[in-house]
Amino acid sequence: MTNSTINEDSIFLIQIGALCQTPPITCKPDIGLVEIAQTMRQHDTSGLFVVENDLPIGVVSLSDIRNHIADSDDIGNCTARGLMSSTTVTIRHRARVFEAIFKMAKHNIHRLAVVDENGALIGAITDTDLLRLQTCTPLYLNQEIDAAQSIEQLSRISTHMLDIVKNATAAGASARSLAELIAHFNDALSLRLIALLDHLEGLRLPEGAAFLVLGSQGRGEQTLRTDQDSAIIHNDNLSSTTLDQIARFSVRLCEALEQIGIPRCPGNTMASTPEWRQSVSGWKRLLDQWFTVPTPENMVNFGMFQDFRALHGHQGFEKILNEHIQTCIQRNTLFLAQMARHLVRFQPPLGMFGRIRVERRGEHRGKVDLKKAGIFSITEGASLLGLEAGIINGTTWDKLERLGQQGLLAATDAETISDAMSYLVHLRLQRQVKAMTAGQPPSNYIDPLVMTDKERDRLREALKGVASLQKIVRDRFRVDFIAR
């Protein structure tokens, strides 16, 4: 992954505070043995921090209780103060994971008290937490996916994506790295699912066909959780039996993808839909139609299709389709201008004096749709400029870099637009993680009023970057001179 900061070593650099999501389980020094045991049972824990004046002064563990019962005749009068290990090993919340590992090994203990700058107890970290962290790494998840033996198991594994993203964020991963990481895992899940359908159900894609992923997965950049967007391409003149096999495979694959947590496309842009399963000649005819008659529907269809990638099956179809798209562009010079006119209708929500405009009515009143406000314009604008220049593969960041390198975008413009894309994706992922952690569906909406002044300023700058790209597109394709 380009510019990725995600690797197996980076988890050891995560700050301890990022792992402490729940308050520590504590007790007062003067409580008795029965109350200690009841507290342990209530919270299902094997140890309590003994706290006095907000400061940890000791730890009571199950082994402390066991040893006291075995060695003492005076059980009824013992308290936490008498049971506890008097030396409490602490670690600052800004310390790194590797420091926690070293401290546990040095003192041969299983838990550390996490304290703030004033020494007050704010959390706890255990060896179980650290083990769980190591199982939420990209390499471990890859291994889990490869080893999955059932669709149900693959569905459970897919839920670990949230933990991966949270840990990668804590490790300082960029929005670009995270988007590429999520796309990578969705590819891996899809490919393992295809293998399981073959092994368990005898369903496979026949020779001479390919399963295409479209949209954000086709570009290799995704957030949590995007819909299915896919298609099928196959050789001409296949037998009816082979076409039936392709249809059964496509329908079942889309069902199974939904089973493992990847939602269906609301507009049915999926391989399970007959219109999105075409022969080579069929796709060429459709592309000719889209380019020749640039209705809003045809432009939307092409906008979804243009970022395709052959995930499974015959890879040679990619080159065939890309060459035909370039031929269509040369034959229909006004098509890109029509796409540009459609694109610039999605103006970024910036009002007078840089005020951020929000939804005026409906369930999202007072909020901004991050996708509609800017991410869509940047991805589509970069793809549009890329199509004209023959740049047809890669992420939006890849395309912006190449446009800058070829002088089709000024270097400063390419950097500004790329930064805008990164910040908008960062905000989108941040909100999606927060919602999914709370058990809610992920959303593209954000309320500017709950943002800090710094965050609002950065959002404002990102939206200005969107406006810059739209102006470039408007001028490049002379949108204002196109007949209405």
Side-chain angles (χ1 to χ4, degrees):
M1 287 176 289
T2 307
N3 294 337
S4 175
T5 58
I6 305 169
N7 55 59
E8 300 311 305
D9 293 333
S10 65
I11 64 168
F12 298 110
L13 300 178
I14 295 175
Q15 289 188 343
I16 294 297
L19 303 180
C20 297
Q21 303 298 322
T22 56
I25 310 303
T26 65
C27 68
K28 298 294 185 182
D30 55 350
I31 70 169
L33 180 59
V34 173
E35 191 175 350
I36 291 171
Q38 289 174 338
T39 304
M40 285 184 173
R41 182 176 64 180
Q42 177 185 350
H43 295 281
D44 190 24
T45 183
S46 61
L48 302 176
F49 288 101
V50 184
V51 175
E52 191 171 39
N53 298 323
D54 293 329
L55 301 178
I57 61 172
V59 178
V60 176
S61 66
L62 286 177
S63 61
D64 293 327
I65 296 174
R66 180 195 61 202
N67 293 337
H68 183 82
I69 292 174
D71 297 338
S72 175
D73 295 329
D74 185 16
I75 298 175
N77 294 321
C78 70
T79 63
R81 191 186 300 275
L83 286 170
M84 70 183 188
S85 304
S86 58
T87 303
T88 304
V89 183
T90 64
I91 189 166
R92 300 280 181 169
H93 70 292
R94 296 190 184 279
R96 307 290 176 173
V97 164
F98 72 86
E99 297 177 61
I101 295 172
F102 291 156
K103 283 198 172 188
M104 285 185 188
K106 178 180 178 180
H107 297 280
N108 192 27
I109 55 176
H110 303 288
R111 62 175 49 79
L112 298 172
V114 181
V115 298
D116 62 16
E117 288 83 355
N118 299 318
L121 182 66
I122 59 172
I125 189 79
T126 68
D127 52 0
T128 303
D129 294 327
L130 297 177
L131 180 61
R132 188 181 300 115
L133 175 67
Q134 292 183 65
T135 63
C136 291
T137 62
L139 178 60
Y140 189 89
L141 187 59
N142 258 340
Q143 293 170 341
E144 276 197 305
I145 291 171
D146 289 342
Q149 296 300 311
S150 69
I151 294 174
E152 293 74 18
Q153 189 178 1
L154 206 57
S155 178
R156 290 193 297 272
I157 292 170
S158 72
T159 63
H160 298 171
M161 186 90 72
L162 178 61
D163 292 326
I164 293 285
V165 173
K166 288 164 69 174
N167 289 338
T169 301
S174 67
R176 178 177 181 174
S177 294
L178 290 171
E180 292 174 355
L181 182 72
I182 294 168
H184 164 79
F185 283 127
N186 281 335
D187 281 359
L189 286 165
S190 299
L191 289 170
R192 184 57 187 160
L193 186 58
I194 289 169
L196 287 174
L197 290 178
D198 186 356
H199 177 68
L200 299 174
E201 303 179 21
L203 282 173
R204 64 180 63 90
L205 188 65
E207 292 290 329
F211 174 69
L212 307 178
V213 288
L214 315 176
S216 59
Q217 189 173 5
R219 290 190 299 273
E221 55 184 38
Q222 293 188 284
T223 56
L224 300 166
R225 164 87 70 172
T226 48
D227 301 330
Q228 296 182 41
D229 295 305
S230 61
I232 291 284
I233 183 172
H234 57 78
N235 283 327
D236 293 322
N237 303 319
L238 294 181
S239 68
S240 59
T241 301
T242 302
L243 292 176
D244 286 343
Q245 290 175 345
I246 291 174
R248 287 197 300 273
F249 168 85
S250 302
V251 170
R252 180 65 184 110
L253 176 58
C254 291
E255 288 176 351
L257 285 168
E258 186 177 25
Q259 281 182 259
I260 66 171
I262 304 178
R264 290 176 174 272
C265 171
N268 285 323
T269 306
M270 299 180 295
S272 57
T273 306
E275 290 79 6
W276 290 90
R277 295 194 305 270
Q278 299 284 342
S279 66
V280 173
S281 296
W283 278 118
K284 287 182 176 181
R285 284 193 297 271
L286 261 181
L287 287 165
D288 289 342
Q289 178 183 330
W290 291 345
F291 275 84
T292 305
V293 187
T295 64
E297 181 182 1
N298 286 345
M299 287 189 287
V300 168
N301 285 334
F302 178 72
M304 181 61 67
F305 184 79
Q306 65 177 322
D307 290 311
F308 66 86
R309 183 162 51 91
L311 182 65
H312 172 69
H314 184 50
Q315 301 293 308
F317 289 129
E318 277 192 17
K319 182 179 179 182
I320 293 171
L321 287 174
N322 282 326
E323 287 178 348
H324 190 73
I325 288 172
Q326 288 301 310
T327 299
C328 287
I329 291 172
Q330 293 167 9
R331 290 175 180 170
N332 302 273
T333 55
L334 288 178
F335 178 78
L336 295 185
Q338 294 286 355
M339 288 279 289
R341 188 175 75 166
H342 177 70
L343 172 64
V344 299
R345 290 174 179 169
F346 294 87
Q347 291 292 312
L350 277 176
M352 292 289 289
F353 309 110
R355 186 176 63 85
I356 299 172
R357 294 199 305 268
V358 296
E359 300 281 338
R360 304 289 292 273
R361 57 182 64 87
E363 64 174 312
H364 300 297
R365 182 181 177 185
K367 298 181 180 179
V368 174
D369 184 339
L370 293 169
K371 183 176 181 180
K372 187 172 72 174
I375 294 174
F376 170 80
S377 288
I378 295 178
T379 56
E380 295 301 306
S383 291
L384 184 59
L385 292 168
L387 278 173
E388 185 187 37
I391 301 170
I392 49 181
N393 294 316
T395 68
T396 300
W397 290 281
D398 293 333
K399 292 173 183 176
L400 290 169
E401 284 178 359
R402 292 177 64 186
L403 287 167
Q405 290 166 359
Q406 295 183 22
L408 301 171
L409 278 179
T412 53
D413 287 334
E415 183 178 358
T416 296
I417 298 164
S418 182
D419 288 345
M421 174 74 173
S422 294
Y423 190 63
L424 292 171
V425 170
H426 162 77
L427 287 178
R428 189 184 189 193
L429 273 171
Q430 186 183 69
R431 267 50 187 182
Q432 289 180 339
V433 166
K434 184 177 180 180
M436 294 176 71
T437 301
Q440 300 170 352
S443 171
N444 292 323
Y445 288 88
I446 187 170
D447 184 352
L449 293 180
V450 304
M451 301 174 73
T452 65
D453 290 342
K454 183 177 180 180
E455 287 174 332
R456 273 195 301 273
D457 287 342
R458 291 192 65 185
L459 174 58
R460 198 173 287 109
E461 287 304 310
L463 295 177
K464 289 179 181 177
V466 178
S468 295
L469 177 59
Q470 290 212 340
K471 185 179 185 307
I472 291 169
V473 168
R474 181 184 293 275
D475 293 344
R476 175 63 187 162
F477 295 102
R478 300 171 65 86
V479 170
D480 295 333
F481 294 94
I482 300 175
R484 301 293 177 182

